Amino acid sequence: MSRLLNRLRRIDPGFAVVLLLSLVAIWPLVARASLPQETDTELHVFRLMELSYLVRSGEFYPRWAPDFYHGYGYPIFNYYAPLTYYIGLIVDLMPKLGPVAGIKFVLILGFLLGALGLYGFVRDNWGRVGGYVAAAVFMYAPYIQYVDPHVRGAVPESFSFGVFPLALWCVDRFWREQTGWRWVTAVFTVAAVILTHNLMALLFFGLLAAWVAWRVGELWLAEGRTAALRKARGVGGILLLGLGLAAFFWLPVILERNAVTLNTLIGDNDNYDFRTHFLSLREMFAFSSRIDWGATEPIFRFNLGVAQWLLGGMGLVLLLRRRMTQAGHLLFFALAFVALLFMQLPQSKFLWEATPILPFFQFPWRMLGGTVIMLAVLAGAGTAVWVQRTPRFANWITVAALALPLLLALPLSQPSPWPDFGEVNRLRLTLIELRGRWLGTTSTSDYVPATVDAVPRREGAVVDGFFVNQPLDRVNRPSLPQGVTVETENITPLHIRYQVNAPEKFRLRLFIFDFPGWHVTVDGEPSETELGLPEGFIVVKVPAGEHAVEVRFGSTPARTTAWVITAVSLLITLLVGWRLRNRTETASAVSWAELDKWAVGTIGVITAVTLLILQPSQLLHDASSGWTAEPAQVDTFANFGGQIALIGYDLAQETAQPGDAISLNLYWKAQQPLDINYQSFVHLLRADGSLATQSDHLNPGEYPTRRWPLDKYVRDEHILQIPPDLPPGEYRISAGLWVQAEGWRLPLIDEAGAQVDDKAVLMTLIVEE
C-alpha cells in the first residue's frame, strides 16, 4: 500500500491541470454526437469502416481495400500511414460503437497527447508554469483548435500534431536519464511520428533528427567529444530503431512508389498547386473571425493566433536579449520557427520549386501546425523565465499568459452544428462513389494502380452485392465463353476461390485491378496472368477441364523485407529496454505551488464561464438567418429566377489602379431545392456595357449548387484582375449566375416575377491613373 501511495505522490498534478485546460478545445467533440460530413473526416470514417471489415474477416494488416473504386479495389492501405486507423479501430470494435466514434476518439486523443507532451517537455526544461502556457498556446492556436480538425477534417494530420510533441518529450526524457522505460517509450513514439501521416512524418522526423543533432552539438561544445558521442549513440539509436519499427509501412511506400499514380498529388495552377496557397504575414498576424452558424462554410483564417504571436514573441525577445535559461537549447526552436514561417511565405517559392518532395505537401500553410509547436515552446520558456525574473508579479503573469490564448480562442470554440453522420456501411460508400464526390476515398485519382490506363465505368453486376450486403461477384461473366461455368467462394475479402469448368482453355477476366501482391494459382500451382487493358484488370489463363483458381492478395519482396526490418528493430528495442531495466528513474513527490493554484483558478473560471454561460447563451458566434448574411458589408436582395438570391456582398475597395487585384465576396442563398449546378460570374463593365474583365467560378464558393441547403448561405470569393492598360474612369461591377454547358443565364426578376436583367449591378468602381 505504501508503495502505491509513493507512486501516486510522484504523479505530477500538472497533467490534471492540462486536462482541465483542454476542456474548451475538445468540448464540441465530447458534447456533440456524430461528426461533420463533407470534410475529409468523411473519408477517414469510411477508411476505418473498410479496415474494420477486413480485420473482422481475418485480414489483420491489409494493404488493399477491396470495396473501393466501385469494387475493383484500391491499394490505399499500402500507401497511407496506418496508425490513426488502428487507434480508431480499438473503439470501432467495441460494442455499440463504430467508425464515427473511432475517428472522434482519434481527434480528441490527438489534442490531449499534444498538450500533455508539450507540457511535459517544457516543464522538464523550464518549469511547470511554462508547461501550462505551452499547452495552452498549442491547443488554442486556430489551426490546431479549429481549422485542421473541424474545417478540413484532416484527422491523421491533426493527430500528428499531437504525436510529435509527445515524441519530443519522450526522447528528451531519455536524454536526461537512460532507463529501460524511457528507452522503449522514446523508440515507440518516434515510430508513431512516422506512422501517423506521410507528409508530416517527413517534417517531424526531420525536426526530431535536427533537434538531436543540435543537442549533441551543444554537449560537444560544453563537455567534449567523448560525452557527445556517447549521448549520440543512445539517442541516435532511438531515431534509427523508431525508423526501423515503422519500416513495414514506409519501405513499401518507397520501393513500390512506381506501382501507383502519384503525379495527381501535385497540382498545376489548381487547388493542389502549392503556388496558390502561400500566406502573408498579415494573415498570420490576424485575429480569428467569429463563426457564423448560418454559413455553409464559415469564414476562417490561416492564422497563427494573436496570443501565440505575443507570447511566443516574448520568448524570442528574451532570447535575443540573452535573458533565457538554456538559451542554446531554446535557440533551436527559434530557428525552426523562423524556417517554418519562411516556408509559408511567397518568398520561399524558389525552395518549393527546387526541392522535389515539397510540392507533394500541396499547401504551404500545412506547416502552421509545426510553426505553432515551435511558438508554444518559445512562449512557455519565455513565460517561465519572466515569472522567475519578476517574482513580485508572478501570479499575474501566470494568469495573463494562460487567459490570453483561452480568451482569444473563444470565437472558434463553437463550430457550426453538424447533423447526424448517418449510417456507415458498404452500401453508402458505393452510393457516394456513384454520385462522384470521391472515388476510393480520394478526389484526385492518387494511388490508382499505374497499370490502369483508363478508370473503368461502374459495373452494375459488381456493385449489386453492396445492395444486398453480400460478397461482390467480380467475374466478368459476359466475357465467359459458351459452356464455361464459374462458381465463387469468398474465403476472406482478399482471398477468393473460383471453381471453373471449361470445355476448352480460356481467359478468366476479373473485375479486380492488378497490383503487386496479387497471387493467382490454378489447382495450387502458380499461374501466369495477363493485364486487361485499358482498365488494368487481372486476366487468368485457365486450361480446359475442372480447376480451382485461387486469387489472393499477399506479400511482395519489398513488404517481406520491411516486416523483417520491423521485427529486428522491435527485438533490439526490447532487448535494450530489458538491459536497462535495473536503472530506476530519479523521482520525488511533486509539490503543489502557489502558482499552480492561480493557474487552476484562471483555467477553471474561464472554462466554467465559457461552457456554462457563454456557449449556452449563444454569445460566441453569429447566427445569420433569413435573407441576411451578418458578415456581409452590404445587404441586398437580388432574386435570380426564384431559385437563388444574392443577399449581400463585400468589396475591399471602391477605387483601383490599372493592374490591381480587387477582392469581392458574394453571399448567395438558395430559395428552393436546386437540380442544376449553376456557375457564378463577376463582371467589370465599361460605360457602354462592354466587358473590361471578369471572374468566373464553376461552383460558387466551391460548393455545387445542387447540394446547397435552404437554411444557410454560401460565401463566394472572387478576385477581379484589373487590366494594366485599362483607361481611368467609372466602371460598374455586376454579378450573376449562368449554366456554362448551355450558355444561358439565370434571369434577375422583380417582386412581380418579371425579368428585369440577367445580372445584378452592385456598385461603381473608380479606376484612377
Side-chain angles (χ1 to χ4, degrees):
M1 186 66 179
S2 61
R3 179 179 293 181
L4 176 61
L5 291 175
N6 287 333
R7 287 184 178 274
L8 291 175
R9 291 191 189 101
R10 293 175 183 175
I11 297 176
D12 181 2
F15 291 115
V17 178
V18 173
L19 293 178
L20 175 64
L21 178 64
S22 71
L23 271 181
V24 172
I26 67 174
W27 193 250
L29 295 170
V30 172
R32 298 180 186 177
S34 196
L35 281 172
Q37 301 178 55
E38 299 193 0
T39 69
D40 283 1
T41 300
E42 185 177 70
L43 309 180
H44 301 300
V45 166
F46 281 98
R47 288 177 190 171
L48 177 54
M49 176 210 75
E50 182 78 345
L51 176 63
S52 176
Y53 164 65
L54 291 166
V55 169
R56 291 169 193 265
S57 301
E59 303 285 352
F60 298 110
Y61 192 78
R63 296 178 184 268
W64 185 264
D67 294 324
F68 291 177
Y69 255 84
H70 304 309
Y72 304 140
Y74 191 50
I76 186 70
F77 295 131
N78 192 55
Y79 293 95
Y80 213 92
L83 182 60
T84 51
Y85 304 116
Y86 278 88
I87 292 175
L89 183 66
I90 297 171
V91 175
D92 172 83
L93 294 176
M94 293 180 180
K96 297 184 179 180
L97 296 176
V100 173
I103 293 299
K104 179 180 284 191
F105 174 75
V106 170
L107 285 170
I108 295 172
L109 183 63
F111 273 120
L112 299 181
L113 290 181
L116 294 172
L118 268 169
Y119 166 76
F121 177 75
V122 175
R123 177 205 63 182
D124 289 351
N125 286 279
W126 290 280
R128 190 187 292 165
V129 170
Y132 295 149
V133 173
V137 166
F138 166 77
M139 274 192 296
Y140 293 101
Y143 192 75
I144 302 293
Q145 176 195 4
Y146 177 68
V147 176
D148 220 37
H150 293 288
V151 177
R152 299 186 63 221
V155 179
E157 181 179 307
S158 185
F159 191 75
S160 75
F161 300 144
V163 172
F164 170 64
L166 183 67
L168 179 65
W169 179 39
C170 288
V171 177
D172 184 61
R173 277 166 55 83
F174 184 80
W175 177 277
R176 294 169 174 277
E177 195 169 3
Q178 290 74 47
T179 68
W181 173 248
R182 293 187 177 193
W183 165 267
V184 171
T185 54
V187 172
F188 274 85
T189 51
V190 168
V193 168
I194 301 168
L195 295 172
T196 297
H197 187 272
N198 297 38
L199 296 173
M200 291 300 108
L202 296 173
L203 175 63
F204 289 142
F205 185 81
L207 283 171
L208 278 174
W211 176 80
V212 167
W214 183 275
R215 295 289 278 160
V216 169
E218 278 191 293
L219 189 60
W220 190 311
L221 294 175
E223 300 183 22
R225 176 175 178 271
T226 302
L229 292 180
R230 186 185 308 116
K231 188 75 74 172
R233 282 194 294 271
V235 182
I238 287 173
L239 297 183
L240 289 176
L241 287 172
L243 194 64
L245 275 181
F248 70 90
F249 158 64
W250 62 262
L251 189 58
V253 171
I254 294 175
L255 296 181
E256 297 177 350
R257 65 188 182 280
N258 293 326
V260 291
T261 301
L262 293 177
N263 60 337
T264 55
L265 290 170
I266 301 177
D268 183 13
N269 201 30
D270 58 16
N271 186 54
Y272 298 101
D273 185 348
F274 67 85
R275 298 172 186 85
T276 64
H277 293 286
F278 286 114
L279 302 178
S280 66
L281 286 175
R282 180 178 181 181
E283 183 171 8
M284 291 188 192
F285 272 112
F287 284 90
S288 297
S289 304
R290 284 168 61 90
I291 297 170
D292 188 353
W293 284 14
T296 52
E297 295 183 0
I299 302 169
F300 67 93
R301 294 188 174 100
F302 288 109
N303 57 330
L304 282 169
V306 173
Q308 285 67 21
W309 271 109
L310 291 175
L311 294 172
M314 176 188 63
L316 275 173
V317 170
L318 290 174
L319 178 64
L320 292 173
R321 296 187 65 184
R322 300 183 179 181
R323 302 290 180 86
M324 296 297 300
T325 58
Q326 295 199 60
H329 189 185
L330 193 63
L331 180 60
F332 171 82
F333 295 95
L335 294 175
F337 162 71
V338 172
L340 290 172
L341 188 71
F342 176 73
M343 293 303 295
Q344 298 167 72
L345 300 175
Q347 290 77 8
S348 68
K349 179 181 174 182
F350 73 97
L351 286 176
W352 286 81
E353 292 177 339
T355 309
I357 193 64
L358 282 178
F360 285 97
F361 277 78
Q362 300 170 328
F363 316 117
W365 43 253
R366 255 186 171 148
M367 297 187 183
L368 277 170
T371 311
V372 164
I373 294 170
M374 302 303 113
L375 266 182
V377 175
L378 290 167
T383 303
V385 170
W386 194 12
V387 166
Q388 293 167 8
R389 289 182 173 272
T390 55
R392 182 180 175 184
F393 302 104
N395 293 339
W396 295 111
I397 293 171
T398 301
V399 169
L402 287 172
L404 190 62
L406 269 167
L407 293 175
L408 293 184
L410 292 183
L412 301 180
S413 65
Q414 278 191 294
S416 299
W418 51 76
D420 183 71
F421 192 90
E423 293 186 352
V424 181
N425 51 41
R426 296 160 70 226
L427 174 59
R428 185 177 174 194
L429 164 73
T430 194
L431 291 176
I432 292 175
E433 291 193 333
L434 175 63
R435 290 195 292 271
R437 211 157 72 226
W438 39 259
L439 274 174
T441 66
T442 62
S443 57
T444 58
S445 299
D446 37 312
Y447 305 122
V448 172
T451 51
V452 177
D453 294 334
V455 176
R457 60 182 177 83
R458 184 181 176 90
E459 288 287 342
V462 176
V463 299
D464 281 349
F466 290 128
F467 292 85
V468 294
N469 197 28
Q470 293 295 321
L472 306 187
D473 182 7
R474 295 184 173 89
V475 176
N476 188 340
R477 297 192 179 275
S479 71
L480 294 177
Q482 188 173 1
V484 173
T485 61
V486 179
E487 295 181 2
T488 304
E489 178 187 359
N490 290 275
I491 300 171
T492 75
L494 301 181
H495 185 188
I496 311 164
R497 180 181 295 128
Y498 299 102
Q499 298 294 342
V500 178
N501 191 339
E504 57 184 7
K505 65 179 182 180
F506 76 106
R507 286 174 171 80
L508 176 62
R509 301 180 183 274
L510 302 175
F511 288 121
I512 301 173
F513 286 143
D514 198 6
F515 185 74
W518 280 115
H519 302 286
V520 178
T521 62
V522 176
D523 299 328
E525 297 295 327
S527 174
E528 181 183 357
T529 62
E530 295 179 350
L531 186 64
L533 295 175
E535 301 91 347
F537 289 142
I538 295 174
V539 178
V540 185
K541 292 181 178 181
V542 182
E546 295 184 4
H547 302 281
V549 178
E550 294 199 21
V551 181
R552 184 170 190 170
F553 193 83
S555 190
T556 63
R559 297 168 204 166
T560 301
T561 301
W563 278 114
V564 170
I565 294 173
T566 293
V568 171
S569 300
L570 177 61
L571 180 62
I572 295 174
T573 299
L574 297 178
L575 286 175
V576 174
W578 177 261
R579 187 176 178 182
L580 298 174
R581 71 190 185 283
N582 293 326
R583 297 188 184 182
T584 57
E585 298 185 17
T586 303
S588 58
V590 181
S591 60
W592 189 252
E594 182 71 18
L595 288 180
D596 295 297
K597 298 175 184 178
W598 281 80
V600 170
T602 303
I603 297 166
V605 168
I606 294 176
T607 299
V609 171
T610 300
L611 299 183
L612 300 179
I613 299 176
L614 297 179
Q615 288 193 1
S617 301
Q618 311 295 322
L619 296 174
L620 299 177
H621 63 85
D622 293 331
S624 296
S625 60
W627 306 111
T628 300
E630 293 188 17
Q633 294 176 355
V634 180
D635 293 329
T636 188
F637 186 86
N639 186 350
F640 285 91
Q643 298 189 52
I644 297 175
L646 177 65
I647 62 174
Y649 62 88
D650 305 328
L651 185 64
Q653 57 197 84
E654 296 181 359
T655 62
Q657 294 180 341
D660 283 355
I662 306 299
S663 174
L664 175 67
N665 302 321
L666 306 176
Y667 296 83
W668 305 100
K669 192 167 187 180
Q671 302 184 66
Q672 63 181 23
L674 304 171
D675 56 5
I676 295 176
N677 275 335
Y678 292 101
Q679 287 71 57
S680 64
F681 66 84
V682 174
H683 288 172
L684 184 67
L685 303 176
R686 298 182 179 89
D688 60 1
S690 62
L691 182 65
T693 189
Q694 67 187 80
S695 170
D696 294 275
H697 283 172
L698 184 64
N699 294 310
E702 298 185 2
Y703 198 172
T705 58
R706 286 194 297 183
R707 290 162 48 194
W708 285 11
L710 299 181
D711 59 338
K712 295 185 177 184
Y713 66 80
V714 174
R715 185 171 181 265
D716 188 18
E717 301 180 6
H718 287 262
I719 300 293
L720 275 176
Q721 187 66 50
I722 307 299
D725 57 351
L726 191 68
E730 294 186 356
Y731 296 82
R732 292 178 298 158
I733 296 178
S734 65
L737 298 158
W738 68 309
V739 179
Q740 184 181 37
E742 301 176 14
W744 56 272
R745 294 183 181 181
L746 201 57
L748 179 68
I749 61 176
D750 59 17
E751 294 181 358
Q755 179 173 352
V756 294
D757 207 333
D758 59 4
K759 61 186 179 299
V761 177
L762 305 182
M763 63 169 294
T764 298
L765 179 73
I766 299 175
V767 176
E768 302 173 337
E769 293 186 9

